[in-house]
Amino acid sequence: MIGAIIGDIVGSRFEFDNHRSTEFEFFHPDCEFTDDTVMTVAVADAIMSGRPFGEVLHEYGRRYPDRGYGGRFYNWLLKKEGYKPYNSFGNGSAMRVSPCAYLAKGNREQALTWATASAVCTHNHPEGVKGAMAITDCILLAAQQRPKDEIRRLAVELYGYDMNFTIDQIRPRFGFNATCQKTVPQAIECFLESHDFESAIRIAISLGGDSDTIANITGGIAEAYYGVPEEMQSHALQMLPEEMRRVVQAMYE
């Protein structure tokens, strides 16, 4: 999960000011955590506390407003009661899902059950659910150190994503898109082309588009495969509120 959080923090300053290169200061003073981190931590909290995903996500979103939430999700947060899913296929379902894979401890059935439940409380469109499940499955394979070709085949054969591209090929024309369909396969490819955790995040940023979310999704997979340098973990944790830091630490403990 810390890998996803780092991706969000590093990508935060590029979301609306894309940087089409892997060369940049990693933790810049302008970096901050966004809604991606808030919701990722909320999913972990929901699993560990045994509370409904929708309830916990709603609480966290209202507790940490003005973090860059999408318009429809923000309207969902404004409802004090009776908040229901709104058939979204936005990439929010995929960016917050990494704790489902990590906390399942290799149990694929449990991980995918959590992934589905964490999505459908808001993103109950089939593409929204698929995005959450696909990233969860990728993280599970990455944690097993499965060959990258196997992870690519999973995305193509089980989830039906078109992976017939490289980041260099699509970078020049890649624009902002916040759907699962246009960010999940791209984030997977960013991981597949990387050689360590940092390079995965740098490739994700260089793609452009919804930079913080693509880097968040990429980071969740890359952490499982490579691990995350201790100094990066420490830096990111210090940027979080104490409450959120406690949830992250409890998850790893």
Side-chain angles (χ1 to χ4, degrees):
M1 180 170 75
I2 193 66
I5 291 171
I6 291 170
D8 172 49
I9 290 172
V10 175
S12 61
R13 66 188 177 108
F14 299 120
E15 181 177 11
F16 300 112
D17 184 20
N18 288 166
H19 183 80
R20 309 282 178 160
S21 167
T22 57
E23 298 298 321
F24 54 85
E25 184 177 349
F26 204 73
F27 284 115
H28 188 274
D30 290 341
C31 291
E32 61 182 358
F33 72 89
T34 79
D35 59 315
D36 295 15
T37 290
V38 177
M39 291 298 109
T40 299
V41 174
V43 167
D45 196 345
I47 293 172
M48 291 189 292
S49 65
R51 296 172 60 203
F53 285 104
E55 180 180 303
V56 180
L57 265 61
H58 195 264
E59 286 183 5
Y60 267 75
R62 292 171 69 89
R63 196 177 305 152
Y64 298 97
D66 304 320
R67 284 289 165 179
Y69 302 100
R72 296 179 72 192
F73 187 83
Y74 189 72
N75 289 335
W76 182 80
L77 290 178
L78 292 177
K79 297 178 181 178
K80 294 184 179 180
E81 56 185 27
Y83 40 89
K84 298 178 181 179
Y86 46 92
N87 201 38
S88 174
F89 49 80
N91 54 24
S93 60
M95 60 79 162
R96 67 195 187 209
V97 80
S98 58
C100 298
Y102 289 107
L103 285 167
K105 299 179 181 179
N107 184 329
R108 181 172 183 262
E109 181 180 0
Q110 179 65 80
L112 293 178
T113 297
W114 281 336
T116 300
S118 74
V120 298
C121 57
T122 52
H123 294 55
N124 56 332
H125 188 283
E127 290 290 344
V129 176
K130 184 175 84 171
M133 294 178 67
I135 295 305
T136 299
D137 251 342
C138 286
I139 292 173
L140 292 172
L141 287 184
Q144 297 170 34
Q145 301 296 294
R146 304 301 300 173
K148 288 185 176 181
D149 283 348
E150 185 175 336
I151 297 174
R152 184 187 299 278
R153 287 197 302 273
L154 172 87
V156 173
E157 297 174 6
L158 183 58
Y159 292 101
Y161 288 122
D162 178 7
M163 301 292 297
N164 188 30
F165 62 87
T166 67
I167 299 303
D168 282 346
Q169 287 171 342
I170 66 172
R171 185 184 290 112
R173 64 182 185 276
F174 191 75
F176 188 91
N177 190 304
T179 67
C180 279
Q181 299 94 305
K182 294 297 183 179
T183 52
V184 167
Q186 289 77 12
I188 295 170
E189 181 63 25
C190 289
F191 158 71
L192 293 173
E193 295 186 19
S194 66
H195 62 268
D196 59 15
F197 178 80
E198 182 174 339
S199 72
I201 302 301
R202 289 186 177 278
I203 292 169
I205 298 300
S206 78
L207 177 58
D210 192 1
S211 295
D212 60 331
T213 300
I214 294 173
N216 167 290
I217 297 170
T218 301
I221 307 171
E223 176 189 358
Y225 196 80
Y226 301 116
V228 180
E230 288 288 340
E231 60 271 22
M232 289 188 187
Q233 295 186 45
S234 297
H235 192 115
L237 284 172
Q238 291 306 311
M239 296 179 70
L240 301 182
E242 176 60 28
E243 174 195 42
M244 293 170 65
R245 190 156 58 242
R246 285 199 302 267
V247 172
V248 175
Q249 292 169 335
M251 195 197 85
Y252 285 101
E253 288 171 1

